[in-house]
Amino acid sequence: HQSTQISMAVMVAFLNLIIFSVVSTTGKSLSLNYYAKTCPNVEFIVAKAVKDATARDKTVPAAILRMHFHDCFVRGCDASVLLNSKGNNKAEKDGPPNVSLHAFYVIVAAKKALEASCPGVVSCADILALAARVAVFLSGGPTWDVPKGRKDGRTSKASETRQLPAPTFNLSQLRQSFSQRGLSGEDLVALSGGHTLGFSHCSSFKNRIHNFNATHDVDPSLNPSFAAKLISICPLKNQAKNAGTSMDPSTTTFDNTYYRLILQQKGLFSSDQVLLDNPDTKNLVTKFATSKKAFYEAFAKSMIRMSSYNGGQEVRRTAE
């Protein structure tokens, strides 16, 4: 009887191991030459859509990078962020953290071009991963080989956007959010560098400049002159519609300014400034502030890791 129990335990452990290895290699089933025979022009077609849109609107690369990040952090990189709300279902794009996402039309245009060239072959999730790489490169950032073969999802719920790391998060909340997706502390610091691109509305940082806590109205970890500038942009009353500021002064250039600003206590979000709260993350901030090359290498590796987290089942024929 005891030997039966032991063999059952071994069997269960073995099955768990098999299940775990399947789950943990789902990301690995992506490949660099996934479309080599079925849609060889995929990278060119996606790059053209992003380039054309960027030529008309310099905010497109920041929007695409953010869209990809927001997609991957809810249900994995399955392009569920692109789906429109239908009937009683409010989709991810209408969840509070996503209402300021824009440039969906770029992915729609790339998908249409790909459907004309190789119908039913390229997933929207792969288009978004490729577009994010192009967005970073067009802004002067690094490039990398994007593993392909993601599938698209059909489920998109606004309520699930609560899973996105918030700009008000402290370091332990950020670490937990990233580790749930198999991402390390280094991935967290490297991917935060995406904040070198784009614009933020007051709502994302007002917690630091008004009623910060019981003893301080303004976050004491904020550079005083920078705080004064933010207060003038985002006053407590009579704030201009859509008021906000660029994430860093070189807002359309992908560089390591973001890290240098954090060291000067001029990080915009709480979630930027808290990267100095721990020796490990602080060392990485200093390393990336000092070496653009080190940042670019780490960012490229972390983007591949983040975007390999896939949760879809099919190739959708339309983006939205």
Side-chain angles (χ1 to χ4, degrees), residues 35 38-39 41-42 45-46 49 106-127 152 154 314-320:
Y35 297 113
T38 53
C39 194
N41 286 337
V42 58
I45 292 169
V46 174
V106 182
I107 308 302
V108 171
K111 178 64 174 168
K112 276 190 179 146
L114 284 163
E115 284 299 311
S117 179
C118 31
V121 172
V122 182
S123 68
C124 301
D126 276 346
I127 295 170
D152 298 327
R154 283 255 174 227
E314 62 176 306
V315 174
R316 299 199 306 256
R317 297 300 295 265
T318 56
E320 298 178 304

Side-chain angles (χ1 to χ4, degrees), residues 44-302:
F44 173 78
I45 292 169
V46 174
K48 186 178 184 306
V50 181
K51 274 182 193 160
D52 290 353
T54 304
R56 292 190 299 273
D57 178 359
K58 293 286 175 276
T59 69
V60 162
I64 298 285
L65 180 59
R66 186 165 174 245
M67 192 189 297
H68 179 47
F69 188 91
H70 282 220
D71 181 43
C72 293
F73 264 68
V74 181
R75 296 186 166 262
C77 315
D78 66 345
S80 54
V81 75
L82 303 174
L83 293 168
N84 289 321
S85 295
K86 278 200 186 86
N88 291 332
N89 182 59
K90 203 173 167 190
E92 282 170 44
K93 61 161 70 164
D94 293 318
N98 285 347
V99 287
S100 58
L101 288 180
H102 66 103
F104 291 104
Y105 69 90
V106 182
I107 308 302
V108 171
K111 178 64 174 168
K112 276 190 179 146
L114 284 163
E115 284 299 311
S117 179
C118 31
V121 172
V122 182
S123 68
C124 301
D126 276 346
I127 295 170
L128 197 41
L130 288 164
R133 187 264 310 265
V134 176
V136 170
F137 183 67
L138 285 181
S139 308
T143 190
W144 56 91
D145 287 330
V146 176
K148 293 164 286 287
R150 292 163 194 76
K151 294 288 188 274
D152 298 327
R154 283 255 174 227
T155 306
S156 186
K157 294 179 160 60
S159 58
E160 293 183 356
T161 58
R162 286 191 215 115
Q163 296 166 25
L164 286 162
T168 53
F169 270 14
N170 64 30
L171 192 55
S172 65
Q173 290 170 308
L174 287 172
R175 279 179 177 280
Q176 188 188 0
S177 177
F178 276 69
S179 70
Q180 279 169 349
R181 290 153 183 86
L183 298 170
S184 67
E186 181 162 359
D187 294 323
L188 160 62
V189 180
L191 292 170
S192 294
H195 286 169
T196 178
L197 294 179
F199 177 90
S200 169
H201 292 99
C202 295
S203 56
S204 296
F205 56 86
K206 68 171 193 274
N207 66 302
R208 303 187 71 198
I209 53 173
H210 302 297
N211 309 315
F212 178 66
N213 62 22
T215 45
H216 297 95
D217 196 37
V218 175
D219 181 348
S221 72
L222 201 54
N223 172 291
S225 63
F226 184 54
K229 180 191 156 198
L230 296 180
I231 292 164
S232 71
I233 296 166
C234 309
L236 198 50
K237 294 193 172 67
N238 304 327
Q239 183 183 294
K241 192 178 186 302
N242 293 328
T245 185
S246 58
M247 296 297 295
D248 81 19
S250 54
T251 175
T252 57
T253 307
F254 194 95
D255 55 24
N256 62 342
T257 308
Y258 165 82
Y259 299 103
R260 295 207 293 272
L261 289 171
I262 292 176
L263 294 173
Q264 295 163 26
Q265 298 190 293
K266 291 178 183 175
L268 193 55
F269 299 160
S270 299
S271 61
D272 297 324
Q273 205 57 50
V274 296
L275 298 178
L276 299 186
D277 289 357
N278 167 288
D280 295 343
T281 50
K282 185 178 182 172
N283 286 341
L284 286 166
V285 170
T286 309
K287 178 182 170 184
F288 297 154
T290 317
S291 167
K292 194 154 82 165
K293 183 174 179 283
F295 165 46
Y296 280 11
E297 284 171 5
F299 185 82
K301 276 192 199 129
S302 294

